[in-house]
């Protein structure tokens, strides 16, 4: 498959999804039973810092559009906070919406902590105990509904708990499911392990379930599927092909695709053994807008492909303005880039 950068059409300036007063991230789109397009996204108030405010205050919302391009209009909060006693009680993030049969499946990351809510101006940041505890409690979960409008059944336990002594002993997050026709699931996810009392670098694991209801078991039991010394990536998105699987993800250092925080494209015959595609760059942070302007985004990540009739038609991404990095962003939103089919 040709790299997506060669197939991208100009992005609509007024497309995608944004909300006044909120940081918006993690756009994932599906066509509902009503024929409209529904984006599941995460948001948290701008009264908190963009990073790491999401760790303690993110909630998953749903927005709607008549077209894939948007603009998407906010409709409802899908997975709100539900109490510190729940594993996902204080934050829901990283939504990935998909479907099997008549069931909508919403994979996501949840977290909790037993401390006070942050308030504007209290100095909440990466060294805050609330942030440290919430990061260590990140887990992958699943919510299910018979309609894109819900109601959503949330599980009382995550589907991917941590495993002491393994590469995912600290956290699991960023779920990327591939649902097969028989209902089985290959689930790619991000993990970190404990190194003493702190966490190590980002790694990518793979899990399998014979049915989307679970249980999910880690296939890459001892080692992550991408060797951490060579592959520093996150935000995977995976899909099935005639010859196996393909994946796009964020290149943290730029050593794989040639651009820091650009996108890599990888292929696998079995979902466990991966290699870079012949054209390893899937996309760039430099965007061509439909008004004729060109802009290099401060951030462009969390890639999600909308498939229609078996082919990818739109690339969604979470983006931030500014020169680069979360701390310099004044606005974030989910943008959409139409693809040549």
């Amino acid at each position: 498959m040709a790299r997506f950068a060669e197939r991208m059409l100009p992005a609509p300036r007024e497309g995608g999804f944004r909300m006044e007063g909120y940081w918006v991230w993690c756009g994932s789109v599906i066509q509902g039973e009503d024929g409209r397009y529904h984006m599941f996204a995460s948001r948290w108030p701008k009264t908190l810092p963009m990073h790491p405010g999401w760790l303690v205050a993110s909630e998953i919302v749903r927005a709607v559009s008549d077209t894939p391009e948007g603009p998407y209009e906010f409709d409802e909060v899908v997975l709100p906070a539900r109490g510190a006693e729940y594993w996902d009680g204080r934050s829901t993030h990283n939504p990935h919406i998909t479907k099997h049969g008549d069931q909508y499946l919403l994979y996501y990351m949840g977290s909790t902590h037993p401390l006070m809510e942050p308030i504007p101006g209290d100095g909440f940041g990466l060294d805050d105990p609330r942030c440290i505890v919430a990061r260590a409690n990140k887990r992958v979960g699943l919510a299910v509904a018979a309609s894109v409008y819900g109601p959503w059944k949330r599980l009382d336990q995550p589907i991917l708990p941590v495993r002491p002594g393994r590469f995912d002993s600290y956290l699991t997050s960023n779920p990327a499911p591939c649902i097969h026709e028989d209902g089985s699931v290959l689930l790619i996810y991000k993990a970190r392990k404990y190194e003493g009392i702190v966490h190590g670098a980002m790694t990518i694991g793979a899990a399998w379930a014979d049915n989307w209801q679970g249980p999910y078991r880690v296939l890459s039991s001892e080692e992550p599927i991408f060797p951490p010394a060579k592959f520093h990536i996150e935000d995977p998105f995976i899909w099935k092909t005639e010859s196996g699987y393909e994946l796009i993800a964020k290149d943290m250092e730029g050593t794989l695709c040639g651009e820091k925080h650009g996108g890599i494209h990888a292929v696998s015959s079995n979902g466990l053994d991966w290699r870079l595609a012949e054209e390893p760059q899937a996309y760039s942070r430099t965007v061509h807008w439909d008004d004729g302007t060109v802009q290099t985004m401060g951030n462009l990540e969390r890639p999600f492909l909308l498939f229609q009739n078996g082919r990818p038609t739109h690339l969604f991404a979470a983006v931030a303005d500014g020169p680069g990095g979360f701390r310099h962003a004044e606005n974030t939103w989910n943008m959409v880039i139409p693809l040549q089919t």
Side-chain angles (χ1 to χ4, degrees):
M1 179 179 287
R3 65 191 179 111
F4 293 97
E6 297 173 349
R7 301 169 55 196
M8 292 182 182
L9 300 172
R13 272 278 187 191
E14 303 304 317
F17 174 53
R18 64 183 74 206
M19 289 193 73
E20 189 71 27
Y22 288 93
W23 305 108
V24 173
W25 212 242
C26 301
S28 176
V29 176
I30 197 168
Q31 189 171 20
E33 67 267 23
D34 56 359
R36 305 182 75 195
Y37 294 88
H38 298 257
M39 178 185 289
F40 290 75
S42 49
R43 74 170 189 183
W44 58 104
K46 277 193 168 183
T47 53
L48 293 175
M50 190 272 175
H51 180 62
W54 59 275
L55 269 169
V56 294
S58 178
E59 58 186 2
I60 293 174
V61 301
R62 183 177 54 81
V64 187
S65 170
D66 290 330
T67 66
E69 292 80 11
Y72 288 79
E73 298 293 332
F74 170 78
D75 196 62
E76 66 170 343
V77 178
V78 175
L79 299 183
R82 60 172 177 165
E85 67 270 30
Y86 291 95
W87 70 271
D88 61 349
R90 305 298 286 273
S91 175
T92 57
H93 198 65
N94 294 153
H96 184 120
I97 186 67
T98 185
K99 190 179 183 184
H100 184 262
D102 58 358
Q103 296 294 306
Y104 290 90
L105 310 176
L106 179 58
Y107 292 80
Y108 65 102
M109 182 283 296
S111 184
T112 191
H113 66 85
L115 305 172
M116 296 295 292
E117 293 279 2
I119 59 175
D122 72 356
F124 177 76
L126 288 170
D127 294 328
D128 191 292
R130 292 164 293 188
C131 174
I132 295 170
V133 175
R135 188 189 297 275
N137 281 329
K138 289 169 62 178
R139 305 289 185 268
V140 170
L142 173 64
V144 183
S147 167
V148 75
Y149 293 95
W152 294 90
K153 180 181 178 181
R154 295 162 71 167
L155 304 180
D156 290 335
Q157 298 294 331
I159 61 172
L160 275 185
V162 293
R163 301 179 304 149
R166 307 295 178 87
F167 68 88
D168 47 10
S169 62
Y170 185 77
L171 62 80
T172 65
S173 67
N174 299 56
C178 180
I179 314 293
H180 305 104
E181 289 186 7
D182 64 359
S184 62
V185 184
L186 175 64
L187 182 61
I188 305 298
Y189 64 100
K190 184 175 86 172
R192 282 179 162 171
K193 70 176 181 179
Y194 268 105
E195 295 182 354
I197 60 172
V198 298
H199 61 75
M202 299 175 186
T203 57
I204 303 295
W208 179 271
D210 293 333
N211 183 278
W212 57 262
Q213 298 177 68
Y216 290 77
R217 63 184 187 276
V218 177
L219 295 176
S220 48
S221 179
E222 299 297 329
E223 297 293 336
I225 58 174
F226 289 93
K230 296 181 179 179
F231 284 81
H232 190 197
I233 62 175
E234 69 165 346
D235 295 346
F237 178 93
I238 183 177
W239 67 100
K240 190 76 174 68
T241 68
E242 293 182 357
S243 58
Y245 299 91
E246 296 190 34
L247 173 146
I248 55 177
K250 174 185 173 184
D251 185 348
M252 296 299 296
E253 308 296 341
T255 56
L256 302 171
C257 74
E259 177 185 350
K260 183 176 181 178
H261 294 174
I264 71 156
H265 183 193
V267 296
S268 172
S269 61
N270 57 13
L272 285 176
D273 304 305
W274 291 87
R275 60 177 175 82
L276 288 175
E278 292 183 5
E279 294 286 350
Q281 185 172 27
Y283 56 86
S284 170
R285 288 191 296 118
T286 299
V287 173
H288 293 257
W289 296 104
D290 62 358
D291 61 8
T293 60
V294 179
Q295 179 182 4
T296 298
M297 309 305 297
N299 296 80
L300 190 151
E301 49 195 75
R302 295 293 301 153
F304 179 92
L305 289 171
L306 174 65
F307 280 76
Q308 298 185 95
N309 299 318
R311 303 191 62 161
T313 60
H314 297 79
L315 172 66
F316 292 85
V319 292
D321 57 12
F326 299 129
R327 296 179 182 178
H328 302 294
E330 294 185 4
N331 299 284
T332 67
W333 67 100
N334 287 324
M335 70 172 296
V336 54
I337 304 173
L339 302 175
Q340 292 177 340
T341 58

